[in-house]
Amino acid sequence: MPLTFARRLRPKNDFIFQRLFGETETKESLIALLNAILRLEGPNRIADATVIENKQLAKELIDDKTGRLDVRAETADRVQIDIEVQLADQRNMEKRTLFYLSKMFVESIKAGENYDNLKKTITINILDFNLLQLERYHSTFHFYEDHEDSFMLTDAMEIHFIEYPKFQKVEKNVHDPLHRWLLFLDEKLPEDQLEELIRMDPVIKKTEERLEWLSGDEETRRLYEAREHSRIERNSIISDAMEKGMEKGMEKGKIEIAINMLRKKMGIHQIAELTGLKVAELERIKKEAGM
C-alpha cells in the first residue's frame, strides 16, 4: 500500500529524484526509467549501467541556490547519460543543456587520446514547464543535415526534453512504460492510480517502497524541505531581479540584477548565463561593490 499523499515526498524534487535513481542501490530503477525514456526494447535494452554517484550531497549543496543535482550513469557499451529535473523556467534551458552536454562529451576522453574514444552522450531534461513550440511532450534532438532531414551527421550527442504540462494533456496508456514512470513521478497522481502502477510494474513497486522509506526518514525530510526552500528562494530572486531589470535601462538593469544576485551568493558563471554579462565584467562589479 503506497503512502498517503499527505506524506509522500515530491518525486520531482531533484534531491529526492537523485535518491530514487542516482545511487548504486537504485540502479534497477534507473535502468528501467532510461529504457522507457529512450524507447529501448528487446536486445537493445540497457541491461546494466554504472551509476555515477554524487558524493557531495552535503547541506551546503542542498542549500546552494545554483546547485545542480543531476543523475549520471554509464551503460556497459560506454554511453554516458545525464538526467536533470527542472521545476521552473529560468529562461536558459536550451543553452544550459548544450553547455552540460558538450562538457560531458569533451570530458569523456583525456588530453591526447584519440577522438574515436569520445563516448556517446545523452542528456535528458524532465521539465515541469513548457519549453518548446511543439505539441509533443517528449522531444528528441540529434544532428541532421539542414536540407536532407533524414541524414544524421552523428548520433554521438542526443538531447531529450520531457515537458510535464504537455504530458498531462495526452491520453494516458499504462501499458506504455514511459507513461507509467511519468505518472509515478507526478505528486498529484491519485492514490488508486498509483496502486495500479504498483500492481503492474514490479520496478515501480520497488521504487515506491524506497520513496516510502525516504518519506519516513527524518534527515531526508529535513534535506528535502531545505532543497524545496532553496528552489523557491532562487525562483523568487530571479523573478524579482528580472522585474527590476525591466523597470530600468537594459544595461543598468543587468548590472543591478547582477549585484542583487552576487549579494545572494549566486555563482558568477550562473549570473553570466542569466544576464548576458561577461564573467570579467562581473568580477569587476563584484570587486567594486566590495563583495
Side-chain angles (χ1 to χ4, degrees):
M1 176 71 66
L3 285 169
T4 59
F5 274 44
R7 294 179 55 212
R8 189 179 190 252
L9 296 182
R10 190 180 195 182
K12 291 199 294 277
N13 171 286
D14 54 4
F15 168 62
I16 295 300
F17 186 85
Q18 190 172 80
R19 296 296 309 274
L20 291 175
F21 300 100
E23 299 177 357
T24 299
E25 62 192 282
T26 65
K27 181 171 69 173
E28 184 181 7
S29 298
L30 176 62
I31 290 173
L33 177 63
L34 291 176
N35 280 324
I37 293 172
L38 302 176
R39 299 295 190 185
L40 300 176
E41 299 178 347
N44 294 322
R45 290 174 62 84
I46 298 171
D48 196 13
T50 300
V51 179
I52 302 170
E53 294 190 72
N54 187 342
K55 300 296 185 182
Q56 299 178 341
L57 273 181
K59 186 179 186 300
E60 290 76 17
L61 183 56
I62 296 295
D63 289 340
D64 184 0
K65 298 173 189 61
T66 65
R68 181 173 184 262
L69 298 182
D70 54 353
V71 171
R72 288 195 182 190
E74 184 170 327
T75 67
D77 54 350
R78 301 181 72 249
V79 177
Q80 52 181 7
I81 305 173
D82 181 89
I83 310 180
E84 182 178 5
V85 178
Q86 278 289 323
L87 299 181
D89 186 0
Q90 298 168 20
R91 313 293 180 186
N92 61 4
M93 198 66 228
E94 299 93 329
K95 290 183 178 179
R96 175 189 177 93
T97 298
L98 288 172
F99 174 80
Y100 285 111
L101 173 69
S102 303
K103 190 170 184 288
M104 284 181 63
F105 186 63
V106 169
E107 291 177 351
S108 67
I109 61 170
K110 297 178 181 178
E113 285 189 334
N114 193 300
Y115 290 131
D116 290 340
N117 293 334
L118 284 164
K119 299 173 183 177
K120 178 174 179 176
T121 304
I122 301 173
T123 184
I124 298 167
N125 303 279
I126 299 175
L127 310 177
D128 224 16
F129 55 90
N130 288 331
L131 175 71
L132 306 172
Q133 299 299 313
L134 299 170
E135 289 186 13
R136 60 186 305 114
Y137 74 89
H138 181 193
S139 302
T140 309
F141 294 86
H142 293 86
F143 286 95
Y144 285 96
E145 206 282 330
D146 283 350
H147 308 287
E148 301 286 342
D149 57 10
S150 63
F151 183 83
M152 186 190 298
L153 176 65
T154 176
D155 69 345
M157 290 195 281
E158 181 175 318
I159 298 172
H160 292 253
F161 290 109
I162 294 175
E163 300 168 83
Y164 253 92
K166 295 175 183 176
F167 173 69
Q168 290 171 347
K169 295 179 181 179
V170 305
E171 185 177 349
K172 308 302 185 292
N173 176 11
V174 293
H175 298 289
D176 182 326
L178 180 55
H179 280 214
R180 289 200 299 270
W181 279 108
L182 294 181
L183 287 168
F184 165 80
L185 291 173
D186 187 355
E187 66 276 6
K188 297 177 182 177
L189 182 68
E191 190 169 340
D192 60 332
Q193 292 184 32
L194 177 59
E195 290 175 351
E196 181 183 10
L197 297 179
I198 289 171
R199 288 194 299 270
M200 289 185 65
D201 194 320
V203 183
I204 286 181
K205 180 177 185 292
K206 184 175 181 179
T207 312
E208 177 63 24
E209 288 171 351
R210 179 168 178 80
L211 180 58
E212 180 175 351
W213 177 81
L214 291 170
S215 298
D217 181 70
E218 184 177 341
E219 178 65 7
T220 299
R221 292 194 69 90
R222 186 184 67 79
L223 293 173
Y224 165 83
E225 295 295 344
R227 189 60 177 172
E228 283 285 287
H229 176 75
S230 177
R231 176 182 65 81
I232 292 168
E233 187 175 351
R234 178 182 179 179
N235 292 340
S236 177
I237 290 169
I238 293 171
S239 176
D240 184 56
M242 291 304 180
E243 272 185 34
K244 290 179 180 176
M246 290 179 68
E247 292 170 359
K248 301 178 183 293
M250 285 297 291
E251 201 58 33
K252 185 179 178 182
K254 285 182 180 180
I255 292 172
E256 293 202 5
I257 288 170
I259 291 172
N260 287 334
M261 290 179 171
L262 286 166
R263 285 175 179 154
K264 296 292 186 178
K265 308 297 185 185
M266 291 184 71
I268 280 183
H269 289 280
Q270 179 72 12
I271 297 172
E273 195 175 335
L274 288 167
T275 63
L277 295 172
K278 296 183 181 299
V279 171
E281 176 72 355
L282 290 168
E283 294 282 9
R284 182 187 64 78
I285 292 169
K286 183 177 180 181
K287 184 177 180 180
E288 289 180 355
M291 289 183 279

